[in-house]
């Protein structure tokens, strides 16, 4: 039976913490946390750490807290590093080529950090080795997917809400990213803020934990295949 009370609690905690954190952070005036969006408007990046904190707080209320904290924490930290230190290179191919040459790019940090954390989270969620690996791919792949679609206002937060809603029937974990995303959705759509890599990876990781935790081996395999296909398609679209 679905833990309705747990889902309501997780949604409320994640949303309240994310909203409070964003309200507090946006009073700061720090040029390092401002960017130009696709339309050339100046927006802040404070919603990124805000939704990450919300997702961490919401994850801490659940039985699967260990997996959620590992995945969301790594997603937020690696994404924040890319927000601050990111370079012009795009796609796994470029970052892996740089890594082979001895240069550790922000993309390589995300690939290794989020990928490793995804596998740890998968191992915490599942019992059998194959399921652990598949769950790890789903967690890391979902974090990557949410970041991939974060190209226009509201796309990433909207995707999290859309994909998370069906997951509420399987367990309370989906309420975590949904609560955090809902807390900043209006500001995101209003082009006052952007969640950046930090927020996108944190929300995606939390969503991935929900998907992985709510599916058996067949579901994990289907989701993992779809996520890998999406990543490969996105890589093929990058101009070389």
């Amino acid at each position: 039976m679905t833990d309705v009370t747990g889902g309501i609690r997780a949604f409320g905690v994640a949303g309240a913490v994310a909203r409070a954190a964003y309200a507090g952070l946006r009073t700061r005036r720090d040029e390092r946390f401002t960017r130009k969006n696709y339309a050339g408007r100046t927006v802040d990046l404070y919603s990124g750490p805000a939704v990450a904190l919300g997702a961490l707080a919401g994850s801490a209320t659940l039985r699967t807290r260990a997996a959620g904290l590992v995945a969301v924490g790594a997603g937020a930290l690696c994404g924040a590093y890319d927000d601050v230190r990111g370079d012009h290179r795009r796609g796994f191919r470029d970052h892996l080529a740089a890594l082979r040459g001895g240069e550790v790019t922000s993309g390589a940090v995300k690939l290794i950090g989020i990928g490793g954390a995804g596998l740890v989270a998968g191992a915490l969620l599942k019992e059998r080795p194959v399921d652990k690996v598949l769950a790890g791919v789903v967690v890391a792949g979902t974090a990557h997917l949410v970041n991939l679609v974060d190209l226009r206002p509201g796309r990433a937060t909207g995707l999290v809400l859309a994909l998370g809603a069906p997951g509420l029937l399987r367990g309370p974990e989906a309420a975590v990213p949904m609560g955090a995303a809902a807390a900043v959705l209006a500001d995101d759509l209003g082009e006052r803020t952007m969640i950046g890599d930090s927020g996108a990876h944190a929300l995606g990781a939390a969503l991935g934990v929900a998907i992985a935790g709510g599916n058996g081996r067949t579901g994990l395999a289907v989701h993992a295949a779809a996520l890998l296909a999406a990543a490969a398609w996105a890589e093929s679209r990058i101009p070389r």
Side-chain angles (χ1 to χ4, degrees):
M1 182 178 293
T2 302
D3 182 3
V4 176
T5 301
I8 294 172
R9 181 176 61 246
F11 185 96
V13 169
V17 170
R19 192 65 215 173
Y22 181 58
L25 288 170
R26 69 183 303 188
T27 62
R28 297 165 56 91
R29 294 291 183 269
D30 191 331
E31 292 297 324
R32 293 174 299 177
F33 288 90
T34 60
R35 293 289 188 277
K36 295 289 187 181
N37 71 1
Y38 77 104
R41 297 185 179 91
T42 299
V43 300
D44 67 59
L45 282 175
Y46 293 128
S47 60
V51 297
L53 288 171
L56 286 169
S59 296
T61 69
L62 299 176
R63 176 181 55 83
T64 53
R65 64 178 61 86
L69 293 175
V70 168
V72 174
L77 289 173
C78 293
Y81 182 79
D82 195 42
D83 283 334
V84 175
R85 300 291 299 273
D87 58 30
H88 65 282
R89 280 167 287 206
R90 299 173 60 196
F92 294 136
R93 188 183 308 174
D94 287 352
H95 291 292
L96 289 174
L99 189 62
R100 287 194 296 269
E103 181 183 0
V104 181
T105 65
S106 60
V109 169
K110 291 198 302 181
L111 179 63
I112 296 168
I114 296 174
L119 291 173
V120 172
L124 291 167
L125 289 168
K126 300 297 180 181
E127 295 183 357
R128 297 183 178 181
V130 173
D131 296 338
K132 290 176 185 288
V133 173
L134 287 172
V137 172
V138 169
V139 173
T142 308
H144 179 59
L145 174 67
V146 174
N147 188 58
L148 275 179
V149 303
D150 189 29
L151 300 174
R152 293 289 187 275
R155 282 192 184 177
T157 45
L159 179 70
V160 168
L161 291 170
L163 294 183
L168 294 174
L169 299 175
R170 294 178 176 269
E173 286 78 11
V176 171
M178 291 181 69
V184 300
L185 179 62
D187 294 281
D188 190 6
L189 287 170
E191 299 186 43
R192 293 181 288 275
T193 189
M194 62 171 61
I195 62 173
D197 280 28
S198 177
H201 283 302
L203 290 176
L207 181 61
V209 168
I211 294 171
N215 279 275
R217 183 170 299 176
T218 300
L220 289 172
V222 170
H223 280 91
L227 289 164
L228 290 172
W233 179 84
E235 186 77 14
S236 70
R237 303 286 294 177
I238 297 174
R240 300 295 179 185

